[in-house]
Amino acid sequence: MKRALIIDDEPLARMVVMEYLLDFKDRIELIQECGDGFEGLKAIQQHKPDLIFLDVQMPKITGFEMLELVDQPPSVIFTTAFDEYAIKAFEAHAIDYLLKPFSKERFHKAIEKYLALSAADNKPVAKTEKLLEDVAQAQAQHERIVVKTGTKVKIIPVRDILYLQADDDYVSIITEEGAYLKNKTMSFFEQTLDASQFVRVHRSYILSVAEITRIDPYEKDSHLAILKSGAKIPVSKTGYAKLKQVLGI
């Protein structure tokens, strides 16, 4: 028996999935329905379901942002009215996606696909991380970054970021309020943040151009970027060339 969650802010959409799931009650047990990503995150951590039905566009945090906070995400069937670029990512990496409004026949097809993958001991979960990166990189700009701080979720507006620093397998996001760890790579942020606002000036640093007060010569071909906060960020030869291009100097 597989255990499932529904995570969707629309009560009617949850009711439709619940009704359609009754046809699979001998193989899938619905353990909880959740009305937003925060509730969904808690339910995943508590119940460790095999499968979730997940809406993308929800208040507070999106379905994608919620998945990024899950250490070992379950299999996902998206229930969404999301736009075209994400659909391409779903087709490549998701178990399935149900484009709202969807019929019972389309729902059955998605469930049968999931059950077949599970029976074959396939690992559809492994594709989730790739899906998240593809969708994130398809966006022209990011307006916020969502991180976990203990048991709480912190939403960081991109405008509040002073700089980012590599920290082993994580990236440390530095703001005036403090530092927050995100389980992503520097390359990920270099590709997804607005290149006119954030520049990778060193293999271990990406900084907000708006925070720079001056750039001082340092050793040999390197420099130091002095930020408004007083932080001194090393700038490599390559990073300096990128900065000059963005700053128009």
Side-chain angles (χ1 to χ4, degrees):
M1 179 75 78
K2 300 295 183 181
R3 303 163 75 247
L5 291 175
I6 301 171
I7 306 171
D8 196 315
D9 65 304
E10 301 174 13
L12 180 58
R14 296 198 302 271
M15 286 177 61
V16 168
V17 174
M18 289 172 63
E19 179 186 340
Y20 290 174
L21 264 180
L22 290 175
D23 291 341
F24 298 89
K25 61 184 179 182
D26 59 332
R27 288 182 283 177
I28 299 176
E29 176 191 4
L30 178 61
I31 52 178
Q32 190 174 334
E33 54 172 311
C34 307
D36 60 58
F38 289 149
E39 188 181 352
L41 181 61
K42 291 178 182 177
I44 291 172
Q45 292 170 335
Q46 178 182 352
H47 298 294
K48 296 181 171 51
D50 302 295
L51 172 68
I52 59 174
F53 298 90
L54 179 63
D55 188 18
V56 174
Q57 293 170 309
M58 295 185 290
K60 300 180 181 177
I61 60 174
T62 69
F64 291 132
E65 290 169 335
M66 188 210 74
L67 280 178
E68 287 184 351
L69 303 177
V70 179
D71 294 330
Q72 294 181 318
S75 299
V76 182
I77 293 176
F78 289 95
T79 57
T80 178
F82 215 56
D83 51 20
E84 185 178 352
Y85 72 78
I87 294 299
K88 292 178 181 177
F90 293 148
E91 289 172 342
H93 306 298
I95 291 177
D96 209 340
Y97 64 93
L98 299 170
L99 196 58
K100 296 176 179 177
F102 49 86
S103 66
K104 179 180 281 194
E105 290 74 21
R106 182 66 184 87
F107 182 86
H108 277 218
K109 183 179 177 181
I111 294 296
E112 294 293 355
K113 182 178 179 182
Y114 164 70
L115 291 172
L117 285 169
S118 299
D121 199 28
N122 203 314
K123 300 296 182 185
V125 173
K127 292 187 174 184
T128 303
E129 184 175 346
K130 180 69 172 114
L131 167 65
L132 293 173
E133 293 215 2
D134 279 9
V135 171
Q137 290 173 7
Q139 298 181 30
Q141 295 183 12
H142 274 269
E143 295 182 357
R144 64 189 197 175
I145 297 171
V146 178
V147 298
K148 273 197 303 187
T149 58
T151 58
K152 297 181 179 179
V153 175
K154 170 74 174 177
I155 298 174
I156 305 171
V158 164
R159 65 178 179 272
D160 292 347
I161 297 174
L162 308 182
Y163 63 94
L164 299 93
Q165 180 178 355
D167 192 343
D168 293 328
D169 294 332
Y170 293 80
V171 171
S172 186
I173 302 166
I174 312 300
T175 71
E176 288 185 355
E177 292 184 359
Y180 305 92
L181 289 176
K182 182 76 171 178
N183 189 11
K184 291 288 184 185
T185 64
M186 292 293 282
S187 294
F188 172 83
F189 284 112
E190 184 180 15
Q191 293 173 33
T192 55
L193 290 171
D194 187 341
S196 68
Q197 298 178 33
F198 291 88
V199 177
R200 188 168 186 176
V201 295
H202 186 276
R203 69 184 180 212
S204 298
Y205 292 91
I206 296 173
L207 57 77
S208 169
V209 174
E211 293 299 317
I212 300 173
T213 58
R214 69 177 192 271
I215 303 172
D216 294 340
Y218 192 48
E219 299 174 346
K220 208 171 182 180
D221 294 327
S222 65
H223 292 75
L224 283 178
I226 313 301
L227 306 189
K228 295 175 184 177
S229 64
K232 298 178 180 180
I233 306 300
V235 179
S236 66
K237 182 178 179 180
T238 303
Y240 186 56
K242 292 178 185 176
L243 264 184
K244 287 201 297 182
Q245 184 177 4
V246 170
L247 294 171
I249 58 176

